[in-house]
Amino acid sequence: MAIDSYLYSSPGGREYNEDCVGERVISGGKLFVAADGLGGHKYGDIASKCVVDTFKAAAEPEEDVRQWLEDTIAEAHNAVMKLQDEKAAKMRSTVAALAIKYNKAYWANVGDSRVYYIHNDTIYAITEDHSVAYKKFLLGEITRDEIATDEDQSSLLRTIGNESRNTPDIYESEEELSNGDAFLLCSDGAWEYFMDNEILFDYFKSETAEQWAQYILTRIVSRVKEGNDNLSVITVIFNQD
């Protein structure tokens, strides 16, 4: 099994970066994590780093990877809550995590950091944003593409560090991964500047995960506005040996 990956995170048009990305080798595969600390709260950079560090330090996932993702997110939440007490300040972060283990994929999210999946030349948005804007989309009040510019896009319904609303959504692939299957993890500072099918077009042009990320980032840079949000992407391409 070969997993080609590329991680990128930038402060964008902000003074400092409150996003954090990370990866680690796990038994039978690899883990990827993207977290976005909320800019409306203090110490967003510390919160997002705490989330990623928790995943990096967690015990190895055993057979039940879904449960491991749920437990690790709960551990990250508890760690952020502890930091809130220490600093006497509210701290919040989103998270999107992907674990590839023995040719199967498992993923989870809290907030509006996303995971996309490319399989059989088709792209799938495999997470749902926990935001007011996404609820509007589900109710038919706006289109999916309009989520990025909706006035409630940044109004999140679940986050790590929210005492009562921090429950993750946990998923797994229905079948084993195939050669060329690919994933994109990203923060809202990235996905708000492209449409889903554009991710697929950039993938078709690419031979490596890094090249795919560079095509995506070039597209984003051509569209961003002054003072744009932090942005992070993780591109992952799976191949069987």
Side-chain angles (χ1 to χ4, degrees):
M1 178 174 59
I3 301 173
D4 181 23
S5 60
Y6 183 78
L7 287 72
Y8 176 88
S9 187
S10 166
R14 305 289 172 83
E15 293 184 7
Y16 53 94
N17 193 0
E18 294 184 305
D19 285 4
C20 187
V21 296
E23 65 179 341
R24 64 175 277 197
V25 174
I26 59 175
S27 177
K30 260 187 144 178
L31 169 76
F32 304 91
V33 186
D36 178 0
L38 273 63
H41 300 275
K42 292 182 179 180
Y43 308 114
D45 55 335
I46 297 175
S48 62
K49 185 177 185 301
C50 177
V51 172
V52 172
D53 286 349
T54 300
F55 270 90
K56 286 184 174 182
E60 278 278 326
E62 301 297 336
E63 291 186 4
D64 192 345
V65 182
R66 289 174 60 112
Q67 187 62 54
W68 181 84
L69 285 169
E70 184 174 349
D71 292 345
T72 305
I73 288 174
E75 185 179 343
H77 169 71
N78 291 335
V80 170
M81 293 297 292
K82 182 178 179 180
L83 286 172
Q84 289 190 42
D85 291 339
E86 292 174 359
K87 295 187 176 296
K90 289 184 179 180
M91 302 168 69
R92 302 280 192 272
S93 178
T94 70
V95 66
L98 167 71
I100 297 176
K101 187 175 174 71
Y102 298 125
N103 300 342
K104 289 251 335 199
Y106 308 82
W107 59 95
N109 74 300
V110 181
D112 64 349
S113 291
R114 292 181 176 178
V115 183
Y116 295 86
Y117 175 41
I118 294 175
H119 177 66
N120 289 338
D121 296 336
T122 302
I123 187 163
Y124 303 92
I126 55 175
T127 53
E128 295 187 357
D129 303 343
H130 302 140
S131 69
V132 175
Y134 198 88
K135 289 293 186 183
K136 288 181 177 180
F137 158 65
L138 294 177
L139 292 170
E141 297 177 9
I142 60 174
T143 67
R144 180 175 170 82
D145 291 338
E146 289 173 332
I147 294 172
T149 56
D150 188 81
E151 61 184 358
D152 292 315
Q153 186 262 319
S154 61
S155 298
L156 300 187
L157 301 174
R158 299 187 218 171
T159 55
I160 302 295
N162 183 316
E163 188 170 2
S164 59
R165 295 180 296 166
N166 53 70
T167 305
D169 289 336
I170 312 287
Y171 311 84
E172 67 178 278
S173 55
E174 295 182 356
E175 57 191 39
E176 290 193 350
L177 300 179
S178 304
N179 282 339
D181 281 2
F183 295 88
L184 169 68
L185 289 74
C186 56
S187 62
D188 65 330
W191 62 251
E192 64 184 5
Y193 290 108
F194 54 66
M195 292 183 290
D196 294 2
N197 280 340
E198 292 177 326
I199 305 169
L200 185 63
F201 299 153
D202 290 338
Y203 169 76
F204 287 151
K205 296 185 292 183
S206 306
E207 296 182 358
T208 65
E210 180 176 0
Q211 189 176 45
W212 181 25
Q214 293 300 333
Y215 278 129
I216 292 171
L217 292 168
T218 298
R219 189 183 296 277
I220 292 170
V221 168
S222 70
R223 297 173 178 175
V224 295
K225 300 175 182 178
E226 185 176 354
N228 63 291
D229 195 4
N230 312 146
L231 62 99
S232 299
V233 300
I234 302 175
T235 48
V236 182
I237 301 175
F238 174 85
N239 284 290
Q240 292 176 316
D241 290 336

